[in-house]
Amino acid sequence: MSIASTPPTTPESTPDRAFRRTAPLAHARENAREHLWAVPPLVAPPTVPLDAASPDAATPEAATPVAATPDAAALPAVVSAGLVVPTLNGPADYANFDHAASTPALVSVKAAVDSALRTYSSVHRGNGYASKVTSAWYEQAREEVAAFVGAREGDQVVFTRNSTDSFNLLARALPRDTQVFVFETEHHAALLPWKARQTTRLPVPGSAADAAVLLRTALKQRHGRHRLVVLTGASNVTGEVWPVRELAAIARKAGARVVLDAAQYAPHRRVDLAELGVDYVVLSGHKLYAPFGAGVLAGRSDWLDTAAPYLAGGGATKSVTEQGVTWQTGSARHEGGSPNVIGAVALAAACHALRAGSAAVEAHEAALGAALVEGLRAIDGVETYSLFGDDHERVAVATFTIDGLDSSLVSAALSAEHGIGVRDGKFCAHLCVDTLLDDPYAAGSGTAIRASVGLGTTAEHVQRLLAAVADLAANGPQAAYEQTPEGWLPVDDTRDLSPARPW
């Protein structure tokens, strides 16, 4: 079901393309070994004093108090804890609900990066002390990531820039005429890299069982010597966990390989290539509390070793003569040029910390995620969305719309008035969002708001978001807004949004 995503009609006195708070808008609805990276300090995100919070108009009783997670003291700490941002109502502790887009760095990741920068040098090309240390840490980072994803003997771990880069690398490495099967629910990084004439797109499934039927049918209908099934671990749009083991078993029975998009899954659940039954896994450091420009493609080596190098250049070569080039095998084959050593160290440090604190992380996200989803579903005028049904398992993500309010306006008001960061739009998964919001009676572009919990989110943040959404659904924004080329902005914006450059 789609919710109208254009601003409500305003009186003639209201300036064109502007929105002012008027009457209530809500409508009732039925409804391993130690390396450079140490185990993170056992520090919980700080509790923000009441006088530091935004004194917005949303009343505390608009939402049920959210209890702090029992293992909060064991959570890996993030560098952004205690960030204060400007709002129309004064300074507020930043409530980060945008982890599904990018995560803040862990404190332990920053410490690892700071340490690695002191001895940073080019890898594999020097006998100097700094080069030796950097080379060792780079390869140890590969080992740490291999352990994090449950890499098997013979599997490769290739460092890339991000998940998009990883999928494009794999697409370039596929044997000729490989048939690819991908659900239309996928993030564009997993949906788009494949050759169109060799790709079968499966429609958005209505349930986990439907997904299995669609995949089994497609594999029976389209044959080939080489076939690859693209799966996601957790939806980039709704956070729902996909039945990876079941779908991978269907693929294996048909003789197909499987690549898993774990960008939204790895920060929240354990990844194990063998246990999940997949051949390759893709993930991004910027979604894994290591935003330093590194990603990973890990998995079987045969296709990677026989493919042309992803980047032709130094590091990918064994020798270059007048007669030709002999290329490396193994990970180096696809890591041409000077690699992002600092990104690899950061990613390894994050993997180490998340493995060590996995129980506390899962408990934290389960408690806050449940409070978030249940709280949103209880608000009149708010519609939440799911692929497989409201009771299906999900990571701590909720996607929703508010009756009569443009999603971008909601996002802008949450930030300007409450110090809350969410994501609005189609989340680089246009086909999925278009299906979820499909409504012939809806106006506008059909976009939604996504709130995603992570290590930078606290119980107070969840309560503040629920209270703010309830107030928006009932009364609209507190301030007047106008739509500009930069999006919705308060007509009278008193915030300082131009801080000094960090360099």
Side-chain angles (χ1 to χ4, degrees):
M1 179 176 181
S2 173
I3 307 303
S5 58
T6 53
T9 304
T10 57
E12 292 182 1
S13 59
T14 302
D16 189 32
R17 299 180 68 77
F19 177 76
R20 282 181 165 78
R21 184 173 186 157
T22 54
L25 299 170
H27 305 285
R29 183 190 305 279
E30 291 181 352
N31 290 50
R33 74 183 198 222
E34 289 192 9
H35 293 314
L36 177 65
W37 31 91
V39 175
L42 304 183
V43 179
T47 300
V48 181
L50 292 177
D51 57 3
S54 170
D56 50 59
T59 56
E61 58 269 24
T64 303
V66 177
T69 52
D71 295 326
L75 291 173
V78 294
V79 298
S80 60
L83 174 65
V84 175
V85 298
T87 76
L88 299 178
N89 299 302
D93 172 55
Y94 183 58
N96 187 349
F97 286 92
D98 202 18
H99 291 79
S102 281
T103 51
L106 296 179
V107 171
S108 59
V109 167
K110 181 180 182 301
V113 166
D114 288 345
S115 180
L117 285 172
R118 287 179 56 82
T119 54
Y120 173 76
S121 181
S122 185
V123 298
H124 306 148
R125 293 181 177 90
N127 288 317
Y129 174 81
S131 181
K132 289 289 188 183
V133 169
T134 301
S135 297
W137 282 344
Y138 184 62
E139 293 307 322
Q140 288 170 6
R142 199 186 308 279
E143 295 172 8
E144 190 72 54
V145 174
F148 183 78
V149 300
R152 302 148 299 205
E153 184 176 356
D155 281 345
Q156 292 184 20
V157 174
V158 182
F159 286 117
T160 64
R161 292 175 296 176
N162 46 45
S163 294
T164 301
D165 200 31
S166 297
F167 276 115
N168 277 272
L169 164 56
L170 182 59
R172 289 266 297 273
L174 296 183
R176 183 181 178 86
D177 296 330
T178 297
Q179 300 296 318
V180 177
F181 302 81
V182 57
F183 285 92
E184 291 184 340
T185 47
E186 294 296 320
H187 186 284
H188 293 166
L191 180 71
L192 300 179
W194 323 105
K195 294 179 180 178
R197 65 180 179 84
Q198 296 167 209
T199 300
T200 300
R201 287 187 179 178
L202 285 63
V204 176
S207 66
D210 189 26
V213 171
L214 288 168
L215 179 58
R216 189 179 291 109
T217 301
L219 288 167
K220 288 180 179 178
Q221 292 176 344
R222 192 156 188 177
H223 302 278
R225 181 182 176 190
H226 301 291
R227 294 189 291 178
L228 178 71
V229 175
V230 183
L231 299 177
T232 189
S235 170
N236 181 64
V237 176
T238 66
E240 288 165 284
V241 176
W242 276 63
V244 175
R245 295 169 187 82
E246 179 185 355
L247 297 177
I250 292 171
R252 287 198 311 275
K253 187 175 180 179
R257 295 191 183 189
V258 177
V259 57
L260 177 68
D261 180 358
Q264 297 292 352
Y265 185 83
H268 314 285
R269 299 286 191 275
R270 178 173 172 265
V271 177
D272 188 299
L273 282 158
E275 195 273 331
L276 291 171
V278 302
D279 300 275
Y280 306 93
V281 65
V282 164
L283 54 83
S284 284
H286 76 98
K287 295 183 187 290
L288 205 66
Y289 302 95
F292 290 87
V296 162
L297 170 65
R300 294 174 63 168
S301 62
D302 52 350
W303 286 359
L304 295 171
D305 278 343
T306 55
Y310 187 48
L311 291 174
T317 60
K318 279 186 177 180
S319 67
V320 180
T321 68
E322 291 182 354
Q323 286 70 44
V325 179
T326 302
W327 300 103
Q328 296 276 15
T329 56
S331 300
R333 185 180 186 89
H334 300 291
E335 292 180 355
S338 295
N340 179 6
V341 176
I342 298 303
V345 166
L347 182 54
C351 290
H352 184 81
L354 292 175
R355 288 175 69 201
S358 60
V361 171
E362 289 193 23
H364 168 79
E365 293 181 349
L368 296 190
L372 171 66
V373 174
E374 292 169 8
L376 288 171
R377 289 175 183 163
I379 300 172
D380 284 344
V382 171
E383 180 82 5
T384 60
Y385 296 90
S386 63
L387 293 165
F388 302 145
D390 288 348
D391 295 331
H392 192 84
E393 179 188 1
R394 69 177 66 210
V395 298
V397 173
T399 296
F400 65 98
T401 53
I402 299 178
D403 284 0
L405 291 179
D406 179 58
S407 294
S408 183
L409 174 60
V410 172
S411 175
L414 288 173
S415 176
E417 298 173 16
H418 306 276
I420 297 169
V422 295
R423 182 72 39 167
D424 68 89
K426 295 189 178 182
F427 322 117
C428 290
H430 293 188
L431 299 179
C432 181
V433 173
D434 286 346
T435 300
L436 285 172
L437 273 63
D438 183 31
D439 184 348
Y441 301 103
S445 59
T447 60
I449 306 110
R450 183 183 66 192
S452 49
V453 168
L455 295 178
T457 313
T458 69
E460 186 276 327
H461 295 162
V462 175
Q463 184 172 350
R464 195 195 320 166
L465 173 64
L466 295 177
V469 170
D471 188 50
L472 280 165
N475 305 303
Q478 300 169 14
Y481 289 77
E482 60 183 350
Q483 200 166 36
T484 73
E486 290 76 39
W488 289 100
L489 291 174
V491 174
D492 184 17
D493 197 345
T494 58
R495 298 171 295 165
D496 180 6
L497 300 179
S498 301
R501 295 176 181 178
W503 60 89

